[in-house]
Amino acid sequence: MQIAVQVSELTFTTDEGVPVLEGFSLGVPRDGFAVVVGPPSSGKTLLLRLILRELPPTGGQILLVGRNVARLSPKKVAQLRRRVGYLPQPPVLLTDRTLEENLLFKLRAYGLEGEEREEELERALAITGLEARRTAPVAELTPLEARRAALAVAACPQPVVLLADDPFRDLPEPDQDAVLETLFSIWQAGTALLVTAREEGVFHRRTPLPSQLKLVHLRQGVEG
Amino acid sequence: MRAFLFLAGELFRAVGRRWWTVALWALSVALALAAGTALLLLPSGGVGGRPYVEAILLVQLHPHLSPRQIDELAWEIWQAPGVLGVGFRFPGESEPSFGSERELQLEDRTLVVELSAPEARAQVQELLTLREGVVGVSYRERTVKPPPGLPSLARILALVGLVLALGGSLALARWATLRVVRLWREPLALLRSTGISEGCLRRLFMLPGALAGLAGGAIYVALLWGAVSWGSGQPQVLELVPALPDSAPWGTALGLVIGLLLGVLGGAVGYPSGRGSLIAQRFHRGQPGRSPGRE
């Protein structure tokens, strides 16, 4: 089984000596969909930042797309990150541009040109159901559309794995359900997902849940 | 490379919306270059002082006088009161102390006696006319105009100006870069979320610095050529700064290169360090370093 993300015995302690993560382990296969659920300040964002090598862990091992990120140089990490999508919290969009321009910005920043760029653009729009809103200024998008737009940006060009930091935050329940459907679309298109969430209600509202979906609870940094 | 060029184009679009900050930055670079040039070109000898009269006695020597006798005579004259110095000239030599316009051709072996004042002439001349081996004594005097100079304060001011302009240039670089960073906060946050390294972003922000530095160098070159063009027609200026006409070519080359380097350095210094910056924190919701946001 190919691994998208493998976290083993992960530990993180702040400079002040406060333990945030203690012996946390998690595996996400290439076709996996994992959700880390935990209350605020339980270390969900920290977990994603550690996986992305934005911070060094105190202990443990992290494999990302089969690579031990601790052993990679910053240049290699930057190369690896091109295969990893990331939706930060709050999501980042260029508010003075259209959705299409947002996607093109990222694709061009990655050096994609010609047909490949067009294909990735169309794929990202289709997978998030935003084809009809491609020319809409981001500032005019509804909160749900904006969240989908942020997911489209995070998921283009198609990553091996997408890390989404609480994509349901500040959305009403119907919009949360819609965002979950968008996440499923991305997953079904062949991208592994590692999502964090404050509550798991949105997942229980959807039936049936695929067997590959794995819910992990995080309470003050300890897997529950 | 293609991606870098694209991002550079995007960044310059943002810079274009804050062009005046870069213009101020370029002006400070030009000022630093001008202050450095002033420090190099201004005379360092201080104020020249008033014109004074130089008195000289030319002592023509007998052809049969031996070198040892000439030496003894020179020592004797040098010890006399009112004598500042004694020099020997061969026949055919000129006495350059009278300047090229009034150069004096010497026909005999001659001792040139420099007097401390014209008043000492009578006493020294009397001593010489009585000496054996002295064929004749003639007196010359000329008004010496000391080379022009500037008070030492001028160089101190140029040095202070250089330090201030360099400091100001770096401060303006930081200020201008931060304004562009603020304007470009969303693209920066998006790029950071894609994992683009801080080193790459810093290199990107060196480009506006290079632009400001080159613009500053160009302003300085224009000022320099203007000063050379004006100063070349001003005898007082040429007397004060003789190297001015020759300074234009090397000033152009050095001005552009140093301006570019100053700008690039300013861009590197001005770019806020990565995720520790306020803007990064806004978008990442974490504290810098090892104290992350615990979501």
Side-chain angles (χ1 to χ4, degrees), chain A residues 41 44-45 55 95 97 113, chain B residues 2 10 186 289 294-295:
Chain A
S41 295
K44 300 187 300 295
T45 297
L55 292 168
T95 51
R97 303 187 193 198
E113 292 291 332
Chain B
R2 189 184 292 164
E10 287 282 327
E186 286 178 349
R294 294 169 59 183
E295 226 353 87

Side-chain angles (χ1 to χ4, degrees), chain A residues 12-13 15 20 41 43-46 55 58 81 89 92-95 97 105-106 109-110 113 169 198 220, chain B residues 2-3 6-7 10 186-187 189-195 275 283-286 289-295:
Chain A
F12 186 88
T13 307
D15 288 340
V20 185
S41 295
K44 300 187 300 295
T45 297
L46 168 65
L55 292 168
T58 312
R81 285 288 302 273
Q89 184 54 245
V92 180
L93 286 170
L94 311 180
T95 51
R97 303 187 193 198
F105 180 90
K106 187 177 176 189
Y110 272 12
E113 292 291 332
R169 190 163 173 179
R198 290 185 174 190
Q220 293 302 321
Chain B
R2 189 184 292 164
F6 162 71
L7 291 175
E10 287 282 327
E186 286 178 349
L190 185 56
L191 291 172
R192 281 180 175 137
S193 78
T194 65
R275 302 183 193 285
F283 281 91
H284 286 271
R285 295 191 139 216
R290 292 284 305 276
S291 301
R294 294 169 59 183
E295 226 353 87

Side-chain angles (χ1 to χ4, degrees), chain B residues 38 41-46 148-151 155 240-241:
Chain B
L41 292 182
L42 288 180
S44 58
L150 286 173
R155 284 178 63 79
L240 190 67
V241 191

